[in-house]
């Protein structure tokens, strides 16, 4: 198992949760809502998706502190049928809305075979996989989608009008194994481009375009006037397919829910209006279909893993395997590894909020 990278500091998982609770509590977030957010952010970092964990904590703090996100109240069901529901998130924290919706979808799937729940009035919810896995943990197939700020430039265009619009599908195998797809419909996450910019490194081709709509390896050109590319990159390498998938997510989320959609979604890192994100949560009971689902799911995953690796590779993985490796590494080392610069930033946030600082592993 790989060791902690040089310059990394270990923080126990429970301390990550408690630190988020302390910070959110300092700006008046009710304890259950702070815990919902804390669990989602910790899960993102534990699974190795650092762009969506503690890295975003200050954003949530500022949204609550400014009143841009509502701290009190609960989501409400506006329209409901046996297998569907339309929920108003009432501008609460994204994980609060999303837990409510996925829990509702799970209950409906157990009763009707499927639960399809769509929400408007939501906010950033961390990783999509956190919610699809809630269904998989109960033997169901889970799906989670959200629209996001318009950062992605459609094929043949020069202006971003779609979000990175993630898709997550999780399905249980046997003995705790599972398939967990959690992917953006852009070629990469915005956070990766931001990290390259901070480090002064060029980005790979297919990650973004400049203000003229041309592919660029300069992160600043992408971040300042350009935009991200859809999954697949340019048209010749299938970027129009990622563009189509992003539109599909928009259909399920902003358009179906009546929330903000496409270019109408609030710009990233701005507070000129509420986010009003649209989100979609689906739970499916495999028992409503052919028997033996988990056996076949496990067989398919094992089939892929047992393939002969390509020259220069050591093994074939399935969706969710890299995250399992990262979690095992965290467990072995007794905590989640954070870069020293991120620790410094979080300690500054704690000082600003006058809460107990983040405690590293002894």
């Amino acid at each position: 198992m790989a060791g902690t990278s040089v310059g990394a500091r270990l923080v126990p998982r429970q301390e990550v949760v408690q630190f988020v609770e302390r910070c959110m509590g300092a700006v008046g977030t009710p304890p259950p809502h702070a815990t919902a957010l804390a669990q989602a952010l910790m899960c993102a970092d534990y699974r190795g998706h650092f762009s969506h964990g503690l890295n975003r904590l200050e954003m949530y703090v500022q949204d609550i502190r400014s009143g841009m996100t509502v701290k009190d109240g609960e989501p409400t069901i506006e329209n409901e049928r046996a297998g569907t529901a339309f929920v108003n998130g009432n501008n609460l924290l994204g994980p609060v809305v999303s837990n409510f919706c996925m829990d509702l979808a799970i209950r409906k799937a157990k009763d009707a075979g499927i639960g399809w729940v769509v929400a408007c009035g939501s906010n950033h919810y961390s990783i999509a996989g956190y919610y699809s896995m809630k269904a998989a943990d109960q033997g169901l197939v889970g799906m989670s989608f959200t629209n996001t700020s318009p950062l992605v430039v459609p094929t043949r265009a020069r202006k971003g009008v779609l979000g990175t619009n993630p898709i997550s599908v999780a399905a249980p195998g046997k003995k705790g194994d599972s398939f967990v797809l959690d992917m953006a419909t852009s070629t990469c996450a915005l956070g990766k481009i931001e990290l390259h910019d901070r480090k002064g490194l060029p980005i790979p081709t297919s990650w973004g375009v400049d203000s003229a709509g041309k592919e660029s390896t300069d992160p600043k050109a992408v971040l300042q006037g350009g935009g991200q590319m859809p999954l697949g990159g340019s048209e010749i390498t299938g970027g129009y397919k990622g563009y189509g998938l992003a539109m599909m997510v928009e259909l399920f989320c902003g358009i179906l829910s009546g929330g903000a959609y496409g270019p109408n979604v609030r710009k990233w890192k701005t507070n000129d209006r509420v986010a009003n994100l649209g989100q979609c949560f689906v739970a499916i009971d495999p028992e409503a279909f052919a028997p033996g689902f988990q056996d076949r799911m496990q067989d398919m995953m094992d089939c892929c893993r047992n393939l002969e690796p390509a020259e220069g590779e050591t093994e074939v993985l399935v969706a969710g395997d890299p995250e399992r490796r990262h979690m095992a590494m965290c467990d072995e080392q007794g905590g989640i590894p954070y870069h020293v610069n991120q620790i410094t930033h979080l300690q500054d946030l704690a000082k600003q909020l006058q809460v107990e600082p983040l405690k590293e592993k002894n």
Side-chain angles (χ1 to χ4, degrees), residues 24 47 75 100 130 229 279 301 330 353:
M24 297 306 295
R47 294 180 68 79
F100 179 92
Y130 180 70
M229 297 186 78
Q279 290 162 349
M301 291 190 290
C330 292
L353 296 172

Side-chain angles (χ1 to χ4, degrees), residues 16 28 72 110 114 127 165 173 180 204 209 244 266 292 317 333 356:
V16 173
D72 295 308
K110 289 179 177 179
I114 185 168
I127 56 171
N165 294 7
V180 184
V209 297
R266 184 178 73 188
L317 305 176
Q333 296 179 157
E356 190 178 0

